[in-house]
Amino acid sequence: MKNMQAPTKHEIDTLAALLRKRKQHLLKEIRQVLRRSGNEHYADLLGETGDIGDESVATLMSDTANAEVTRDILEVRDIAGAEERIAAGRYGICIDCGDAIGYERLHAYPSCKRCLRCQQVREKTRASTPHPKL
Ligand SMILES: [Zn+2]
C-alpha cells in the first residue's frame, strides 16, 4: 500500500499520550481485580509502570487464571512494546513488512505493530500457529 507515511513527531507524541493513558487505566483495573480476588502480592508487584518481568507475568496469569486480568496484562505488554518502539524510533512501522502503518490505524489502535495487510495475513494463518509468540 502506497501513500502511507510513518507518523510525524507530533503524531507520535499524541499517540504516546494515548498509550500512557490506556496503560494507566489497565494497570489500575488489573490491580483492582487482583485485590478483589485476594492476590495482593501481585497487585503490589505491579507497579505504576507495569514493568514486571516475563516470569512474573507468566506466574501471575497461571495463578489468577482470570480471563479479565490475562487480557489486560497482554494489552499492557503490547503497550509497553509500542513504547519501546517509540523509544527506538521504530514506532508506526509494520514489524512484518516494514511499511508505515498509517496514522488513522495507529490512532484507532495505538499499540498495533502490523499494517492492516499483514494483520489480515496473520489472522488467516493463526489457526495453524497454536502457540503465537507474545
Ligand atoms: Zn505489514
Side-chain angles (χ1 to χ4, degrees):
M1 210 183 274
K2 271 283 171 226
N3 307 325
M4 285 283 194
Q5 287 189 329
T8 64
K9 174 86 177 66
H10 176 73
E11 285 168 345
I12 288 178
D13 284 348
T14 306
L15 296 165
L18 285 177
L19 285 165
R20 207 160 41 231
K21 218 172 139 190
R22 177 75 184 147
K23 191 165 82 168
Q24 293 306 325
H25 170 79
L26 286 166
L27 289 171
K28 202 172 143 199
E29 193 173 276
I30 293 168
R31 277 196 294 264
Q32 278 170 355
V33 174
L34 289 175
R35 292 228 159 82
R36 212 162 56 214
S37 57
N39 287 288
E40 286 290 335
H41 165 68
Y42 287 118
D44 291 341
L45 198 65
L46 206 63
E48 288 303 315
T49 59
D51 206 11
I52 59 177
D54 287 345
E55 238 173 87
S56 312
V57 168
T59 318
L60 171 60
M61 295 200 304
S62 60
D63 274 13
T64 60
N66 180 310
E68 192 184 354
V69 165
T70 302
R71 199 186 50 227
D72 284 356
I73 288 174
L74 291 177
E75 193 178 342
V76 166
R77 293 180 75 69
D78 261 3
I79 292 173
E83 288 176 334
E84 273 168 30
R85 291 194 299 282
I86 289 174
R90 283 183 283 117
Y91 180 71
I93 307 295
C94 174
I95 61 165
D96 283 353
C97 71
D99 272 1
I101 293 175
Y103 185 66
E104 248 180 67
R105 176 164 163 77
L106 286 168
H107 197 269
Y109 177 21
S111 61
C112 83
K113 45 185 178 267
R114 286 183 185 82
C115 68
L116 190 59
R117 193 184 37 181
C118 292
Q119 187 65 42
Q120 284 167 344
V121 169
R122 191 177 158 82
E123 272 159 21
K124 265 185 218 145
T125 56
R126 186 170 282 172
S128 60
T129 52
H131 299 292
K133 198 167 165 284
L134 293 181

